[in-house]
Amino acid sequence: MIKVDHVVLDYGLGNANSIASCLRDIGCHVIISSKFDQLRSARVIYIPGVGSFNQAMSKLHQQGLVEVLTEIKNNGQTLMVGMCLGMQLFAQSSDENTHTEGLGWIPGHVRHLKDRVSNQHTLPHIGWNTLNKQVDDGLFELVNARDSFYFDHSFHFDADEQYTCARTAYGAEFSAMVKRNNVVGFQFHPEKSQQAGKRLLIGLLNSYHIDRQPIWITNE
């Protein structure tokens, strides 16, 4: 068995390769895997996602990953990181296509952005946007107020306010980052957000005291 600290979950729905490449750029030893033993040995599991909520949950159930991931999350020793749809899977449920139960790790529900934005804002929300920090957290230690991050979504995680650590405005504000103990989610794509995304991921790993090979990332 290959044992590594960083594992990008391979469940057939997501941009796992680009996430792994970004993580390698910041000094992480990372593999892409869905093997239960490798997931259980990881310090960090990254859950990507591109597509629909119900399709993603179906794939996780079919591969027996819901139970395994929940077991790993509950042990409290592994950082679980969701990106875009991967973050939305942390919710209790989603109204996308049909009402679908999520992992239920963070209280809240996934809803369509059309319920929050005006007709002047096109959907999906695609492009660069800034973060409005809601908490003073170490994971933002390398993030500047002017930093922009790349979004591509039509649905948003309407998360409980106590677990929302950053919001983004697009017509109206919505949760852009959520955090509950060892579960952290990004509505945007850090791996597509150039230097700002890499610095945010470094700050995340630093805040959880997770080792990597130090690589200089400019603070510009």
Side-chain angles (χ1 to χ4, degrees), residues 46-188:
Y46 303 85
I47 304 176
V50 175
S52 66
F53 189 100
N54 57 332
Q55 183 184 19
M57 286 303 302
S58 177
K59 285 184 174 292
L60 292 177
H61 279 295
Q62 288 170 7
Q63 298 173 49
L65 287 166
V66 171
E67 295 79 10
V68 172
L69 292 173
T70 300
E71 166 208 316
I72 295 169
K73 186 272 298 185
N74 287 342
N75 72 25
Q77 302 302 308
T78 302
L79 175 61
M80 315 296 286
V81 180
M83 299 180 178
C84 199
L85 175 59
M87 162 179 149
Q88 295 179 4
L89 297 177
F90 297 159
Q92 292 167 293
S93 67
S94 171
D95 296 331
E96 184 177 359
N97 297 323
T98 59
H99 182 84
T100 305
E101 297 299 312
L103 294 171
W105 295 353
I106 295 180
H109 305 274
V110 176
R111 310 187 193 282
H112 204 291
L113 275 173
K114 68 182 180 182
D115 299 330
R116 298 185 68 88
V117 305
S118 68
N119 292 333
Q120 296 176 334
H121 293 81
T122 58
L123 294 175
H125 171 214
I126 300 176
W128 297 84
N129 217 327
T130 55
L131 301 178
N132 178 12
K133 295 186 293 183
Q134 304 296 295
V135 296
D136 185 15
D137 193 292
L139 64 88
F140 296 116
E141 65 174 340
L142 301 177
V143 176
N144 300 316
R146 65 181 183 275
D147 282 338
S148 292
F149 300 86
Y150 187 77
F151 289 80
D152 184 357
H153 63 118
S154 295
F155 289 79
H156 72 99
F157 186 177
D158 188 9
D160 190 304
E161 284 300 314
Q162 67 178 304
Y163 304 117
T164 296
C165 51
R167 301 177 70 81
T168 286
Y170 186 70
E173 285 197 334
F174 57 86
S175 297
M177 290 178 57
V178 294
K179 177 181 177 181
R180 185 184 189 188
N181 300 323
N182 61 323
V183 177
V184 178
F186 306 106
Q187 178 58 72
F188 51 91

